[in-house]
Amino acid sequence: MSLWCNHIPIVVHSLSYRTFIKHLATLNPTNWFCRTINRRTLTVSAANRSSSLLQTLTSRQKEQISLYVDALLEWNQRMNLTAVTEKNEVMTRHVEDSLAIIPPIQNSYISHCSSSYDNLKLIDVGSGAGLPGLIFAIACPGWKVTLLESMNKRCLFLEHAISVTGVTNVEVLRARAESAGQNFDFREVFDVAVARAVAEMRVLAEYCLPLVRVGGLFIAAKGHDPQEEIRNADTAIKLLGASVLELCSVESHSPYGQRTAIVCLKDRSTPRKYPRDPGTPAKVPL
C-alpha cells in the first residue's frame, strides 16, 4: 500500500502535468479545512510539510494516472466524456480535484466511523469518466471501489481505462442508482458513497444514501458555497437516515478556486421505499 493511505495527506497547489511528473519533489502543500456543522469554530488540519499529497504517489501510481489521462483524451474525441481537451487541464481540473476529496473522506471516517480507512468499500455514484472513483482506486490500492454508471458507452470507457491502467481494486457496475439502491447486493453495503458533479443535493441523497451502510458516510463534492443547497436537502437527508456532519473546503480549479465536500453520516437504515422508481428522484425531489 502506498504512503497515501498510511498518512493523512493534504491538498497541494495546482500544477501542470509536466510539473507533476518532473518536479514532484519540489511541491509544497497547502491546508484543507473542515467545519463541523454543530460548532462555530473552524478546524484547520495540515500534515507534515515534507509529505505533500502527490508526493505520496509511487512511480507506478503516477504512471497509471498518466495512462488514464491519455485514455480519457483519446476516447473523448469520439464520445462526450469531458469538456476539457488539454492534458494539463485534465490534471488540474479533474485529477487533482478528485485527489482533493480523499482527505475529508479519511479524516471523517477515522473520526466517526472506524479506527482505519485502509480497506474502505466505496462506491462512486454517477462515475461518468471515472472521476473521482478511478483516481481513488489508483491512489488508495487498499480500497475496494465500485464505479456506478448507467450509460453503456461510458461503462465501456471505464472498462478500457481499468484495463489500460492495470488497476485491480475497482469494478464497473452498469445500473441506475435507483435500481442499485433497491438491489440487496448493493443496498447498505458500502462504507462510503461519493458523488461529484451529478445532481443537486436532494437528488444525490436519494441516489447515494440507500447504498451506504449504517455508520458509513455519504460525501458530495459541491461548489464553493453550497449552503442553500444543503438547506434545501435537509429534510431529504434526514428522511433517508443521515445528517450533515461537516463541510470540508478544498483547493480546486473551479472558478472560485475552491470546492466543498459535504460529509453526511448515516446513523439509521434508509426506509425500504427509497430510492423511488428510476427517474422519480430527479423529477420529484424529496
Side-chain angles (χ1 to χ4, degrees), residues 183-199:
N183 186 323
F184 284 109
D185 289 337
F186 309 109
R187 185 179 178 86
E188 297 192 329
V189 301
F190 294 95
D191 299 311
V192 178
V194 175
R196 175 181 180 264
V198 175

Side-chain angles (χ1 to χ4, degrees), residues 162-206:
I162 291 169
S163 176
V164 166
T165 58
V167 182
T168 60
N169 60 320
V170 60
E171 63 181 11
V172 178
L173 173 60
R174 183 190 170 193
R176 293 191 61 127
E178 301 98 323
S179 299
Q182 289 290 359
N183 186 323
F184 284 109
D185 289 337
F186 309 109
R187 185 179 178 86
E188 297 192 329
V189 301
F190 294 95
D191 299 311
V192 178
V194 175
R196 175 181 180 264
V198 175
E200 66 165 298
M201 194 68 182
R202 290 183 298 172
V203 179
L204 278 184
E206 190 167 359

Side-chain angles (χ1 to χ4, degrees), residues 21 24 55-66:
I21 296 297
L24 192 61
Q55 284 174 329
T56 61
L57 297 177
T58 66
S59 59
R60 174 56 179 160
Q61 288 169 319
K62 288 182 282 184
E63 179 187 15
Q64 288 173 314
I65 286 178
S66 178

Side-chain angles (χ1 to χ4, degrees), residues 98-112:
S98 295
L99 290 173
I101 304 170
I102 296 181
I105 295 175
Q106 293 174 324
N107 283 269
S108 296
Y109 198 79
I110 283 286
S111 299
H112 303 282

Side-chain angles (χ1 to χ4, degrees), residues 98-166:
S98 295
L99 290 173
I101 304 170
I102 296 181
I105 295 175
Q106 293 174 324
N107 283 269
S108 296
Y109 198 79
I110 283 286
S111 299
H112 303 282
C113 305
S114 176
S115 60
S116 173
Y117 50 68
D118 288 344
N119 300 296
L120 285 184
K121 188 173 183 180
L122 180 145
I123 185 166
D124 176 15
V125 177
S127 188
L131 300 161
L134 189 51
I135 302 302
F136 288 178
I138 292 172
C140 294
W143 292 9
K144 182 177 180 181
V145 178
T146 297
L147 308 178
L148 176 62
E149 173 56 48
S150 63
M151 294 185 63
N152 183 61
K153 62 181 181 179
R154 290 178 180 170
C155 289
L156 291 175
F157 166 72
L158 293 173
E159 294 286 5
H160 172 74
I162 291 169
S163 176
V164 166
T165 58

